[in-house]
Amino acid sequence: MTLAVRVPEELSARVPVEQRGPGLERDAVRMLVSRGAEVAHHTFRELPLLLRAGDLLVVNTSATLAAAVDGWTGHTRVVVHFSTRGDDGRWAVELREPDGRGTTRTRAGGPAGREVCLPGGVGLVLEDPLSGRGERLWWARVSGAGVPGLLREYGRPVRYAYTERDQPLSAYQTVFALPSADGTGSAEMPSAARPFTARLVAELVSRGVLFAPVTLHTGVASAEAHEPPYPERFAVPEASARLIEAARAGGGRVVAVGTTAVRAVESAVGADGAVRARAGWTDLVVTPERGVRVVDGLLTGLHEPEASHLLMLEAVAGRVAVERGYEAALQGRYLWHEFGDVHLVLPRVRP
């Protein structure tokens, strides 16, 4: 699926909503709600009014890492984005070029054997491209210190040019984020959950809405055109699998908070259609042809319309809902990207 959509630069959310005016909290963002071709405009604080007792929200507990670290390759400055830790201890990394404005632009990653000097006497050597589809991401071996410690000491959140300034790591953590025992996490925030506050979660629980935590550590999102998602580490715990199945049996709607939650849950569906505890790597690409087997609805941010994201939206909502939603978001001057507004897709109400 492709959309002829150009997002004006002024619709990029340059700072978090809580920095745009006095008294604003994360849940002050706007929320476009789609039910088939019908759209409505809300604020995120109204979410409890749009869900009902027995509905279930699937949330990603992956914590955001301070995944950007300055380095040198020869006499050239680079910024290394640490994306994904492999089972063999290597990390998938992206090398980028400082742009002089506090952010970065793309650059060639290879060749194999390229050495990068990092702070604290840490060294990095590129070994293999992550996939045969491109050379943006490379598997790299790190020596001299563990990567989690390196990121804690010298890292900062990954930031792109549409943002106004650096933000503390806390601005990129969701209320559901839990540190992992091995220090791994997401290179970029699972941003659909950012508008949730502890108060709003408590209100949803008091109204009978359920929460099922899952984990999917997402990598860097600066994908090349039409680059499909690459494998990511995920886990669906036993308790969450049971909650999802109980909600389905009781007629509740399963609403994924973010495309990462969709990918995790749909990767844990067995041949019989039931969700079971599962952990490991997923290379699942959700498309309209494949469809979704568990997820009824989706809460997602507004992002540049790239292929894999649009295909997942179409799988959940249908083509008409996606096209109408993007049209309404542009007409309504919604804000894009991780600090922006959100889009809630719910099943069409049947007469």
Side-chain angles (χ1 to χ4, degrees):
M1 179 182 186
T2 58
L3 284 180
V5 172
R6 187 188 70 82
V7 181
E9 186 177 343
E10 64 268 21
L11 294 187
S12 294
R14 297 178 60 78
V15 297
V17 64
E18 59 271 24
Q19 296 177 17
R20 294 180 210 146
L24 295 179
E25 296 186 42
R26 290 186 176 202
D27 58 7
V29 296
R30 299 168 69 198
M31 181 169 62
L32 182 74
V33 179
S34 292
R35 293 182 177 90
E38 298 178 5
V39 296
H41 303 278
H42 294 267
T43 65
F44 191 75
R45 288 174 180 158
E46 296 175 283
L47 180 64
L49 304 178
L50 299 168
L51 300 177
R52 57 192 185 222
D55 285 346
L56 180 140
L57 294 170
V58 182
V59 296
N60 187 359
T61 63
S62 181
T64 308
L65 301 175
V69 181
D70 292 321
W72 293 85
T73 175
H75 297 290
T76 303
R77 266 196 70 200
V78 294
V79 176
V80 180
H81 288 175
F82 284 85
S83 183
T84 305
R85 183 180 66 82
D87 290 335
D88 60 0
R90 298 188 299 174
W91 280 75
V93 301
E94 179 185 25
L95 267 58
R96 292 179 67 88
E97 180 180 320
D99 63 3
R101 300 188 300 272
T103 54
T104 60
R105 50 180 170 252
T106 58
R107 56 156 288 151
R114 181 184 294 276
E115 298 181 3
V116 181
C117 295
L118 298 171
V122 176
L124 178 151
V125 178
L126 302 182
E127 294 190 346
D128 308 293
L130 186 65
S131 77
R133 297 189 295 260
E135 296 195 354
R136 179 176 67 91
L137 288 159
W138 284 72
W139 286 116
R141 187 79 59 182
V142 179
S143 60
V147 171
L150 173 74
L151 301 186
R152 284 193 299 271
E153 183 74 18
Y154 300 104
R156 61 184 180 277
V158 169
R159 178 187 157 210
Y160 294 113
Y162 51 78
T163 55
E164 184 174 292
R165 56 181 177 267
D166 285 345
Q167 298 287 343
L169 184 59
S170 59
Y172 291 88
Q173 302 292 8
T174 75
V175 72
F176 305 110
L178 295 172
S180 61
D182 61 2
T184 55
S186 288
E188 298 184 18
M189 171 177 54
S191 57
R194 191 183 192 279
F196 283 90
T197 62
R199 179 188 57 78
L200 189 67
V201 170
E203 182 179 350
L204 287 163
V205 171
S206 73
R207 290 173 173 266
V209 176
L210 306 171
F211 287 83
V214 300
T215 302
L216 187 139
H217 297 317
T218 185
V220 293
S222 51
E224 296 167 356
H226 306 298
E227 180 182 2
Y230 47 84
E232 293 170 320
R233 192 187 301 273
F234 83 104
V236 176
E238 176 68 32
S240 294
R242 291 184 178 183
L243 275 171
I244 293 168
E245 286 302 296
R248 296 172 75 192
R253 297 171 295 182
V254 176
V255 178
V257 178
T259 56
T260 60
V262 176
R263 201 178 191 201
V265 169
E266 295 290 328
S267 297
V269 181
D272 59 355
V275 177
R276 295 184 177 84
R278 190 176 173 197
W281 293 85
T282 178
D283 58 2
L284 176 66
V285 179
V286 177
T287 65
E289 292 74 27
R290 187 263 185 197
V292 286
R293 304 175 66 185
V294 175
V295 172
D296 301 305
L298 171 64
L299 176 71
T300 182
L302 294 165
H303 302 283
E304 295 291 348
E306 53 92 8
S308 62
H309 181 78
L310 286 176
L311 289 172
M312 182 181 289
L313 282 177
E314 187 179 348
V316 175
R319 178 182 292 266
V320 172
V322 175
E323 292 175 342
R324 180 69 186 102
Y326 269 78
E327 176 186 317
L330 287 170
Q331 290 177 348
R333 309 290 290 175
Y334 279 70
L335 295 182
W336 252 250
H337 301 300
E338 65 268 27
F339 296 140
D341 299 316
V342 291
H343 184 194
L344 176 64
V345 176
L346 292 174
R348 184 169 49 245
V349 178
R350 294 181 177 83

